[in-house]
Amino acid sequence: MGNISTTNESDPEVLESYFTKYPDVPKETILKQHLLSLGHWFSDAALQAAAGALVKSYRLFSYDLVPMSELKRGEHRRVPEHFVLLNGPYGMRPVSIQTSLSPYSPYLVDVVDGRLVLTTEGRVLAEVRFPKTPDYYAKSLPDGTPYHEIVAFGAFITIFRNCQYWGAREECKFCDINENARQMKLSRDFTLTAPVKSVADVVRVCKEVASDARKHGAGTHGFVLSGGTITKTLHGKTEADFYEEYIRAIKEGASKPRITFEVNARPREEVARYKAAGVDNIHFNMEVWDRRLFEWINPGKAERIGWDNWVRWMCDAVEVFGPGAVQPSFVSGVEMARPHGFQSVAEAVKSSSARSSGGASRRRRSARKPSSRRCRWNSTSSSRAIGMSSTKSIAPTCRGLAGESRASFPSAACSVRFTAPTATMF
């Protein structure tokens, strides 16, 4: 399996057809979307070249298209967290790609004529750069846990490694957070397998990361805090009580970092607590805009919170955090998931196109409450909710929320939450 990468879509003309069909979409965006949809593989030579690179953390999701048990060369402990594509025959501008392994992908990272490159059917598409490992990755806690299993790539902290939306009845259809945690534990290749990181350990590593950043002149540092949903309690604490403790402890550190927090949409009073504790930006991971698909793809969120509350509470959050600081985080491509997704790209794009004005051009933010002066609400009837004869679809038009635009071509579901850190490349 080492150097083999095959699929029915292995013809390079498939990629060319997308470039032709969507001339207004940057080639970098199209290639990135294809790489995340179909995955990619690494030759033996590329794995050897990755020695010393920023190793993949499996920090929240696996992002892989095959289970960890199928990675026979220990790829999960050898491949980089992400890599950068640039130059090549298409003159690619630098674009970061989250490593998403699949031995069946048409895309292979390889070494050709002494250079790291991305290929398909032996054809070079772009040059590849791997990020170097930060200094703090070499350090460990007294119990042997590597610092990088507490804070990944200098920014990402998964505080609670599980999600209490358990099983098929409640888990989001695309999400593998619980399965990823099980795979990591079964592999025995990761030191930290406990579901919760301690406050003291997190603060200790955050201080080290901030110190590294200052040494390299990185300026103001920031962290992304994430973790699974707490539907009842964890360690005797509600979701707000549990996460607030970590937020305050990190914020009170010497570096006073910026904090981005990913969490369920919550009522205004809880959101205000997060703001007071030190959160600067908040992400309510809505996953998909369409109400019907929201209920099918996110059964736990739909049952426990609901589409209407989710949207209203996102609107409320803007009044707490201010314009541009609230993001809903959609999963790119999930609008066309079978069997209930949209049948055409045009329908999917129409549904997910943000109805916003005045927000940033990125499509990862959403809506507001009816009483808000920044929000106008249009109510239209809809009969497409699964299991219901009719529903009301409330479409907000908001100022102050923004969303991340995506390429309008078919793709498998792939998370777009990943934000590549600034890193030194090989």
Side-chain angles (χ1 to χ4, degrees), residues 20-75:
T20 301
K21 188 173 182 179
Y22 304 100
D24 58 328
V25 178
K27 289 183 173 64
E28 296 86 353
T29 300
I30 292 176
L31 180 55
K32 177 170 183 170
Q33 195 82 332
H34 223 215
L35 284 164
L36 295 179
S37 300
L38 300 179
H40 33 272
W41 199 235
F42 289 74
S43 69
D44 290 337
L47 285 180
Q48 291 173 6
L54 181 76
V55 68
K56 186 172 178 179
S57 63
Y58 291 84
R59 61 195 182 276
L60 186 62
F61 311 120
S62 73
Y63 294 98
D64 294 339
L65 278 65
V66 292
M68 201 172 285
S69 59
E70 291 188 18
L71 304 178
K72 302 302 183 183
R73 297 174 297 163
E75 288 91 343

Side-chain angles (χ1 to χ4, degrees), residues 229-361:
T229 295
I230 301 170
T231 59
K232 295 180 180 179
T233 61
L234 181 62
H235 293 182
K237 299 176 181 178
T238 65
E239 183 172 79
D241 291 336
F242 177 82
Y243 284 117
E244 184 181 350
E245 181 180 6
Y246 287 84
I247 294 165
R248 288 190 181 280
I250 295 170
K251 195 69 170 187
E252 291 169 2
S255 66
K256 298 293 187 294
R258 290 190 60 81
I259 294 178
T260 297
F261 183 38
E262 298 183 339
V263 69
N264 279 301
R266 301 304 302 160
R268 183 193 299 263
E269 55 270 21
E270 286 190 31
V271 172
R273 287 177 59 183
Y274 293 138
K275 175 69 172 177
V279 172
D280 299 286
N281 300 84
I282 196 161
H283 296 182
F284 293 146
N285 297 333
M286 190 176 184
E287 323 303 3
V288 64
W289 172 254
D290 183 78
R291 177 199 293 268
R292 174 180 61 93
L293 295 180
F294 180 87
E295 293 171 355
W296 172 54
I297 291 169
N298 312 316
K301 293 177 178 180
E303 180 178 338
R304 293 179 181 271
I305 297 175
W307 190 95
D308 291 301
N309 281 335
W310 203 283
V311 172
R312 288 190 175 98
W313 291 344
M314 286 194 297
C315 292
D316 288 348
V318 176
E319 295 182 351
V320 175
F321 280 88
V326 182
Q327 176 170 303
S329 294
F330 294 144
V331 177
S332 179
V334 78
E335 307 94 336
M336 298 186 72
R338 299 292 180 261
H340 301 298
F342 291 104
Q343 298 300 306
S344 72
V345 172
E347 288 180 303
V349 172
K350 182 179 179 181
S351 168
S352 294
S353 295
R355 295 175 175 87
S356 64
S357 58
S361 60

Side-chain angles (χ1 to χ4, degrees), residues 113-387:
D113 296 330
R115 297 181 303 136
L116 270 169
V117 292
L118 177 70
T119 68
T120 181
E121 287 195 339
R123 175 182 171 186
V124 173
L125 299 177
E127 297 175 20
V128 172
R129 299 288 186 273
F130 292 159
K132 288 186 176 180
T133 304
D135 295 342
Y136 83 93
Y137 264 52
K139 298 183 179 181
S140 299
L141 296 171
D143 66 359
T145 301
Y147 276 16
H148 64 81
E149 291 189 10
I150 303 293
V151 178
F153 54 81
F156 203 97
I157 308 169
T158 306
I159 296 170
F160 175 37
R161 284 290 290 110
N162 292 125
C163 178
Q164 291 182 358
Y165 288 142
W166 302 112
R169 184 174 176 274
E170 288 202 316
E171 286 182 345
C172 296
K173 293 288 191 291
F174 63 87
C175 181
D176 74 342
I177 181 173
N178 290 328
E179 178 59 25
N180 185 43
R182 286 190 287 268
Q183 288 189 119
M184 292 173 69
K185 188 171 184 178
L186 289 172
S187 77
R188 299 186 179 183
D189 292 324
F190 297 84
T191 305
L192 182 63
T193 56
V196 176
K197 296 176 170 73
S198 76
V199 175
D201 288 348
V202 169
V203 170
R204 177 174 181 166
V205 179
C206 283
K207 289 181 178 179
E208 187 67 29
V209 171
S211 176
D212 272 7
R214 287 193 297 272
K215 290 176 185 176
H216 293 282
T220 303
H221 195 71
F223 295 101
V224 177
L225 275 58
S226 189
T229 295
I230 301 170
T231 59
K232 295 180 180 179
T233 61
L234 181 62
H235 293 182
K237 299 176 181 178
T238 65
E239 183 172 79
D241 291 336
F242 177 82
Y243 284 117
E244 184 181 350
E245 181 180 6
Y246 287 84
I247 294 165
R248 288 190 181 280
I250 295 170
K251 195 69 170 187
E252 291 169 2
S255 66
K256 298 293 187 294
R258 290 190 60 81
I259 294 178
T260 297
F261 183 38
E262 298 183 339
V263 69
N264 279 301
R266 301 304 302 160
R268 183 193 299 263
E269 55 270 21
E270 286 190 31
V271 172
R273 287 177 59 183
Y274 293 138
K275 175 69 172 177
V279 172
D280 299 286
N281 300 84
I282 196 161
H283 296 182
F284 293 146
N285 297 333
M286 190 176 184
E287 323 303 3
V288 64
W289 172 254
D290 183 78
R291 177 199 293 268
R292 174 180 61 93
L293 295 180
F294 180 87
E295 293 171 355
W296 172 54
I297 291 169
N298 312 316
K301 293 177 178 180
E303 180 178 338
R304 293 179 181 271
I305 297 175
W307 190 95
D308 291 301
N309 281 335
W310 203 283
V311 172
R312 288 190 175 98
W313 291 344
M314 286 194 297
C315 292
D316 288 348
V318 176
E319 295 182 351
V320 175
F321 280 88
V326 182
Q327 176 170 303
S329 294
F330 294 144
V331 177
S332 179
V334 78
E335 307 94 336
M336 298 186 72
R338 299 292 180 261
H340 301 298
F342 291 104
Q343 298 300 306
S344 72
V345 172
E347 288 180 303
V349 172
K350 182 179 179 181
S351 168
S352 294
S353 295
R355 295 175 175 87
S356 64
S357 58
S361 60
R362 308 181 59 193
R363 199 188 55 239
R364 266 213 190 172
R365 327 276 153 147
S366 212
R368 296 190 70 84
K369 189 176 180 180
S371 61
S372 168
R373 62 182 178 276
R374 289 196 182 100
C375 186
R376 302 187 304 276
W377 290 72
N378 302 313
S379 180
T380 58
S381 61
S382 170
S383 60
R384 297 191 293 180
I386 296 171

